[in-house]
Structure formats: C-alpha cells, structure tokens
C-alpha cells in the first residue's frame, strides 16, 4: 500500500485546503458551538454573532463535506435539523480549544501591544 505524503506548504496539496478550512474564523467558531452536542441551525446562528446566513450555511456544508460535522433532518413538520461534530470533528475541537483559551487569556496583552504599535506609527 502506498502512503501519500501531504505538505500544506505545497500550493496544490489537499492538506492546505483542509488547513484553510480549519483556520477559517467561522469554522473555528461553529466547531466550538457544536462542542457540547447537537445544535439547531438557529442556535448556531445566535451564538456565532456576526455570521451571515449565507456564510453559516456555506461553513456548515464545508464542514459536513470534510467529515467534521453531521447534519440530521428529523421527519417533523416543520422539519427539525441538527448539526453535530463527528469523531473527527471532536478530535479537532480538542486541538482548537487551547487556541481559543490562548486567545481569550492573552487578549489584554495583545491589546496593549496593538496600542503601543499604533502609537509608534
């Protein structure tokens, strides 16, 4: 069996596309919103402030295509749709959680650095 080698530094490597998806701000926030279990579209939209309906739909579809999110439609009137992280999505969340924690715990210092930088210009 041939093992494929991936390098996100190569322009045409699919792993770069995956990193682009993972690093997209909406993907990170949607994955965080789904961390505690299945969530309806409207609840995701309410929690991820600032995301347009179009961007949220595109993000959810892309995450589903990449196998990170599942979409379940319940046969009700009106139909109820829930999104949930897959095993791969949950393992990615474990990687993204420390990034989120770092951002929130270092924001004050980053704010000071920004002010100092802007004042020097």
């Amino acid at each position: 069996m041939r093992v494929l080698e991936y390098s996100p530094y190569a322009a045409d490597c699919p792993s770069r596309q995956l990193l682009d998806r993972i690093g997209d701000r909406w993907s990170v926030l949607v994955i965080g919103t789904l961390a505690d279990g299945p969530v309806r579209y409207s609840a995701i939209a309410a929690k991820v402030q600032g995301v347009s309906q179009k961007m949220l739909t595109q993000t959810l579809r892309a995450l589903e295509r990449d196998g990170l999110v599942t979409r379940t439609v319940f046969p009700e009137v009106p139909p109820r749709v829930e999104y949930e992280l897959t095993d791969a999505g949950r393992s990615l969340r474990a990687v993204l959680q420390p990034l989120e924690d770092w951002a929130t715990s270092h924001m004050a210092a980053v704010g000071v650095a920004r002010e100092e930088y802007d004042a020097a210009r």
Side-chain angles (χ1 to χ4, degrees):
M1 172 192 265
R2 181 174 173 247
V3 176
L4 295 177
E5 290 187 32
Y6 296 105
S7 172
Y9 297 96
D12 60 346
C13 184
S15 65
R16 182 182 286 191
Q17 295 171 351
L18 183 57
L19 276 179
D20 288 344
R21 166 66 46 222
I22 294 167
D24 173 77
R25 70 175 168 167
W26 301 123
S27 295
V28 170
L29 297 173
V30 167
I31 289 168
T33 300
L34 298 175
D36 293 329
V39 181
R40 294 180 72 167
Y41 182 95
S42 59
I44 299 169
K47 185 161 184 178
V48 182
Q49 298 176 9
V51 66
S52 69
Q53 182 177 356
K54 177 183 176 184
M55 281 308 304
L56 181 54
T57 298
Q58 287 178 353
T59 299
L60 285 165
R61 285 182 182 159
L63 292 171
E64 184 179 10
R65 180 175 184 252
D66 289 341
L68 301 172
V69 168
T70 59
R71 178 180 184 267
T72 304
V73 180
F74 295 89
E76 301 172 359
V77 178
R80 179 170 52 103
V81 178
E82 290 183 345
Y83 296 88
E84 184 174 14
L85 294 177
T86 63
D87 288 343
R90 282 188 290 278
S91 71
L92 177 58
R93 175 59 182 159
V95 173
L96 294 176
Q97 180 66 56
L99 179 64
E100 184 179 318
D101 294 343
W102 185 94
T104 56
S105 67
H106 287 79
M107 194 58 237
V110 170
V112 169
R114 288 177 177 176
E115 288 174 7
E116 290 172 356
Y117 179 89
D118 292 344
R121 299 281 173 261

